[in-house]
Amino acid sequence: MEERTTRDERLDDLAQTLADMLGVDKTEAMRLALQNEIERLRSTPTIDDQIATLRETVKNYGRKSTRMVHPSKKR
């Protein structure tokens, strides 16, 4: 009988699947999964960061063009 590393059977199955895919034991698979999720969450921009980026984009919108010309008045 295989030893379980957790009390949750679904978690244990997920850990075993990841362990098999990575070629590591279940404990290492769980450590890597948790580490990767923490890093993913840390690298995701916060809503405040997203709003600041959007504000900057809107503020700078159109600054690169020289002037706006109505389509009917093109040469």
Side-chain angles (χ1 to χ4, degrees), residues 3 10 17 20 28 31 41 45 59 67-69 75:
E3 182 181 331
R10 291 176 302 160
T17 299
D20 292 344
E28 180 66 6
R31 186 190 68 75
L41 290 171
K59 181 177 137 185
R67 69 181 186 128
M68 301 289 283
V69 177
R75 296 179 199 196

Side-chain angles (χ1 to χ4, degrees), residues 31-73:
R31 186 190 68 75
L32 289 169
L34 291 168
Q35 182 179 5
N36 288 336
E37 184 64 7
I38 289 167
E39 182 57 36
R40 184 187 70 81
L41 290 171
R42 282 184 178 153
S43 66
T44 302
T46 65
I47 190 70
D48 291 335
D49 293 339
Q50 294 174 30
I51 290 170
T53 299
L54 183 57
R55 282 184 175 152
E56 191 65 25
T57 300
V58 170
K59 181 177 137 185
N60 293 324
Y61 185 76
R63 285 189 178 180
K64 293 179 182 174
S65 63
T66 55
R67 69 181 186 128
M68 301 289 283
V69 177
H70 191 277
S72 65
K73 297 186 180 185

Side-chain angles (χ1 to χ4, degrees), residues 10-24 26 29:
R10 291 176 302 160
L11 177 59
D12 198 64
D13 290 343
L14 289 168
Q16 186 60 58
T17 299
L18 184 58
D20 292 344
M21 293 172 79
L22 296 175
V24 297
K26 286 191 281 188

